[in-house]
């Protein structure tokens, strides 16, 4: 009977209640997961990203150890996150053009504000947005985001396009990370005692997303100074 009721509300008569139930994910204190929160903003975000990438193109950067990262990146905001053989840091200038990064589009700021207030977190005005672009196979090794001055400001992360398995570890590298599925429109916020957790992204699997095709884009909003 339950099965029939569910079937009446879906188009697929083979959908069971188990399929409809969201997968429970236990999250540590300070980690906020907003499933699909950015979906309604996606078209506007994507248009803004295209504009930013025309001005400051996605580029592959070197880590200080001399390895090329598999993701390509660009930035907007007062500060951009850059990496080269001298290290990781924030810069007000795009090292490719020696020009300032473009300002944060208003839809970016509105989305961050909406996500923070939804979670009853204090609002803040981000001064940096790192935009990571993953092709199939690209990944992000376990890292902490600690180049910012004040860790009381959370990092707000928005995922678009192909899904990814996000690794959320502990405050030291040796803790086995949880795996959290990040799909188009999902937001994860690392705040408070989760702000400095190690995290990374497993290699992106082949797929196709109707809005972003064969790529995943991740926006991370920060307050650097
Ligand atoms: C990514 N995200 O999802 C990489 N950093 O592609 C991050 O590195 C990240 O999701 C800080 C806070 C949240 C994040
Ligand atoms: Fe990060």
């Amino acid at each position: 009977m339950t099965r029939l009721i569910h079937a009446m509300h879906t188009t697929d008569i083979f959908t069971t209640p188990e399929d409809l139930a969201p997968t429970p994910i236990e999250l540590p204190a300070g980690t906020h997961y907003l499933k699909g929160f950015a979906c309604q903003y996606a078209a506007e975000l994507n248009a803004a990203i295209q504009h930013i990438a025309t001005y400051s193109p996605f580029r592959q950067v070197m880590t200080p150890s001399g390895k090329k990262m598999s993701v390509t990146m660009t930035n907007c905001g007062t500060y951009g996150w850059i990496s080269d053989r001298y290290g990781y840091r924030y810069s007000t200038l795009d090292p490719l053009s020696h020009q300032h990064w473009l300002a944060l589009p208003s839809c970016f700021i509105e989305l961050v504000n909406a996500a923070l207030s939804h979670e009853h977190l204090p609002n803040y005005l981000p001064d940096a947005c790192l935009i990571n672009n993953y092709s199939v196979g690209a990944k992000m090794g376990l890292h902490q985001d600690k180049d910012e001055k004040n860790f009381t400001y959370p990092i707000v992360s928005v995922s678009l396009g192909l899904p990814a398995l996000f690794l959320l570890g502990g405050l030291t590298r040796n803790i086995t990370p949880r795996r959290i599925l990040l799909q188009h429109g999902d937001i994860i916020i690392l705040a408070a005692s989760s702000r400095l957790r190690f995290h990374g992204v497993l290699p992106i699997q082949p797929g196709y997303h109707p809005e972003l095709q064969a790529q995943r884009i991740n926006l991370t909003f920060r307050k650097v100074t």
Side-chain angles (χ1 to χ4, degrees), residues 12-207:
D12 176 4
I13 59 162
F14 300 109
T15 304
T16 64
E18 292 73 28
D19 295 329
L20 296 170
T23 314
I25 304 168
E26 15 67 65
L27 292 173
T31 300
H32 302 251
Y33 180 59
L34 292 79
K35 187 87 210 133
F37 192 88
C39 282
Q40 53 181 340
Y41 295 80
E44 207 180 347
L45 299 176
N46 201 15
I49 293 162
Q50 299 316 310
H51 178 68
I52 292 160
T54 302
Y55 186 80
S56 289
F58 285 106
R59 76 290 306 266
Q60 239 180 338
V61 305
M62 285 283 208
T63 64
S65 64
K67 289 186 195 137
K68 264 201 170 165
M69 293 182 73
S70 58
V71 302
T72 59
M73 42 184 66
T74 186
N75 292 277
C76 62
T78 304
Y79 298 96
W81 186 87
I82 62 169
S83 175
D84 56 26
R85 61 199 177 98
Y86 304 109
Y88 306 123
R89 63 200 177 279
Y90 285 99
S91 169
T92 58
L93 300 182
D94 179 344
L96 287 186
S97 65
H98 309 287
Q99 302 296 307
H100 289 279
W101 307 98
L102 286 181
L104 289 173
S106 54
C107 64
F108 283 20
I109 296 169
E110 282 161 26
L111 174 58
V112 171
N113 289 350
L116 290 169
S117 46
H118 185 268
E119 297 302 301
H120 308 288
L121 288 167
N123 194 16
Y124 76 90
L125 183 63
D127 57 11
C129 174
L130 170 63
I131 309 175
N132 286 324
N133 189 325
Y134 298 72
S135 298
V136 170
K139 60 184 173 21
M140 174 82 68
L142 272 190
H143 66 277
Q144 287 174 298
D145 288 63
K146 54 178 187 185
D147 299 325
E148 303 75 25
K149 213 168 248 166
N150 184 341
F151 303 139
T152 63
Y153 294 102
I155 295 186
V156 177
S157 156
V158 180
S159 293
L160 297 171
L162 289 182
L165 282 173
F166 184 72
L167 299 174
L168 183 62
L171 297 177
T172 54
R173 196 180 275 281
N174 60 359
I175 310 272
T176 304
R178 293 171 169 76
R179 293 176 174 206
I180 301 173
L181 178 64
L182 293 182
Q183 290 172 299
H184 180 73
D186 292 352
I187 293 185
I188 196 151
I189 303 177
L190 296 188
S193 58
S194 284
R195 172 65 179 75
L196 289 173
R197 282 182 184 275
F198 277 89
H199 57 277
V201 175
L202 289 180
I204 302 299
Q205 298 303 301

